[in-house]
Amino acid sequence: MTRALIFPGQGSQAVGMGKALAEAHPAARDVFAEVDAALSQNLSRIMFEGPADALTLTANAQPALMAASLAVLRVLEAERGLDLARDVACVAGHSLGEYAALAAAGTFSITDAARLLRTRGEAMQRAVAPGEGAMAALIGAELEDARAIAAEAAGDGVCDVANDNGAGQVVLSGHRAAVERAVALAQGRGIKRAVLLNVSAPFHCSLMGPAAEAMREALAQVRVAAPLIPVYANVLAAPVTTPEAIRAALVEQVTGTVRWRECVAAMAAAGVDTFHELGAGKVLTGLVRRIAPGAAATPVGTPDDVAAFPTL
């Protein structure tokens, strides 16, 4: 077994996430307490009890998802004897999940990861005025087809490929009018389905430039250590191993494409045959099963999942 740990992104949050784990395991409670202290906010209460609209706020959802993921990791280390350097070949995360992956690999402390994600969420929300941006998912689209549609739809606005999620799912992001044109174009290009997404801002497109600069400044202020194991960066679909490369990749990620399909394919090509999605939900588990059908993929987020986690 050659394992990778993967960490979910925004959209996987749900009220109640992490609650059962915290009730069952002191190691999980410690993570949530550290994040609460880092943010001077009882974020864990919002995670466990809601309300859902508070958890969905970008500035809350991003550190909350990281906390849920790192809580699972700490419990696996404490209860199942997982040793990251010994037992795991590499890590990766989808969008904000890349911060969880880096914290897992020792690049960031949990406190710094929480504060960076709070900054990231707030900066992304501020970058574009409400209503000016949009995102849309093209279902049944190949990347090159999506790029062609985005380029045609952009006109004098912005329409970029935000996520190449694999399994025929590509997400576009940009000015609302341009993204709406892309949805209309896709319907006549043999795309199975094209739908506008219920999001608060157009993430991972060039309109996020102000947020990228905010993250450049924030990342310059924190300690960034070399990771214990390779971390596959979203924008490179390849490992980053030095603090300088990590900072650069995280800044570029704010406006760049999340190349998730290529990340999973690269990990599988490097010999990974088992993927564990740590934290909330199982979105990435489903994507991995379609991108790398020869690999095993399982979500790990509950006490029962932890108990079933295979040890070496």
Side-chain angles (χ1 to χ4, degrees):
M1 181 189 301
T2 301
R3 306 190 222 214
L5 304 182
I6 54 177
F7 299 87
Q10 202 160 336
S12 290
Q13 70 275 359
V15 172
M17 67 182 189
K19 183 177 181 181
L21 205 68
E23 291 172 344
H25 298 289
R29 292 196 292 274
D30 289 346
V31 170
F32 296 129
E34 183 174 349
V35 171
D36 287 350
L39 301 178
S40 300
Q41 175 194 18
N42 197 339
L43 182 62
S44 59
R45 178 180 294 174
I46 296 173
M47 294 171 63
F48 300 163
E49 302 174 10
D53 57 352
L55 180 60
T56 303
L57 289 172
T58 299
N60 287 337
Q62 295 199 16
L65 284 160
M66 182 278 299
S69 291
L70 269 292
V72 174
L73 177 64
R74 295 293 181 256
V75 172
L76 291 174
E77 291 171 337
E79 304 294 333
R80 303 295 290 166
L82 180 71
D83 182 310
L84 196 81
R86 182 192 68 204
D87 301 332
V88 178
C90 56
V91 292
H94 191 282
S95 189
L96 78 90
E98 190 165 314
Y99 286 78
L102 287 161
T107 289
F108 297 131
S109 68
I110 291 175
T111 290
D112 283 342
R115 290 173 177 165
L116 286 167
L117 286 170
R118 171 57 54 82
T119 298
R120 184 178 183 268
E122 291 175 344
M124 289 175 120
Q125 199 62 62
R126 287 195 309 268
V128 179
E132 288 189 6
M135 299 181 75
L138 307 186
I139 309 300
E142 297 302 322
L143 178 60
E144 289 310 312
D145 295 332
R147 281 177 173 156
I149 290 169
E152 186 174 342
D156 57 0
V158 170
C159 188
D160 295 336
V161 173
N163 302 348
D164 176 18
N165 286 332
Q169 183 190 115
V170 182
V171 177
L172 305 183
S173 181
H175 285 115
R176 176 168 291 277
V179 173
E180 288 175 345
R181 285 195 295 270
V183 169
L185 284 169
Q187 292 168 350
R189 301 288 173 86
I191 305 301
K192 184 177 179 181
R193 194 154 54 97
V195 292
L196 288 170
L197 300 179
N198 182 20
V199 295
S200 58
F203 305 127
H204 298 292
C205 75
S206 58
L207 297 178
M208 289 285 115
E213 289 309 306
M215 292 314 299
R216 189 188 311 279
E217 294 176 11
L219 286 160
Q221 303 303 314
V222 300
R223 178 179 180 272
V224 180
L228 295 172
I229 59 175
V231 180
Y232 279 71
N234 287 180
V235 295
L236 301 173
V240 283
T241 57
T242 67
E244 296 77 14
I246 289 165
R247 285 191 176 96
L250 290 175
V251 171
E252 185 180 349
Q253 187 219 62
V254 178
T255 57
T257 301
V258 175
R259 297 166 59 185
W260 187 250
R261 175 182 58 84
E262 293 173 86
C263 284
V264 172
M267 288 186 280
V272 172
D273 57 18
T274 304
F275 293 82
H276 300 291
E277 180 179 4
L278 270 54
K282 52 185 179 181
V283 170
L284 300 185
T285 298
L287 292 175
V288 166
R289 288 173 178 168
R290 294 191 286 275
I291 297 166
T298 56
V300 187
T302 67
D304 286 346
D305 295 338
V306 168
F309 188 82
T311 56
L312 293 177

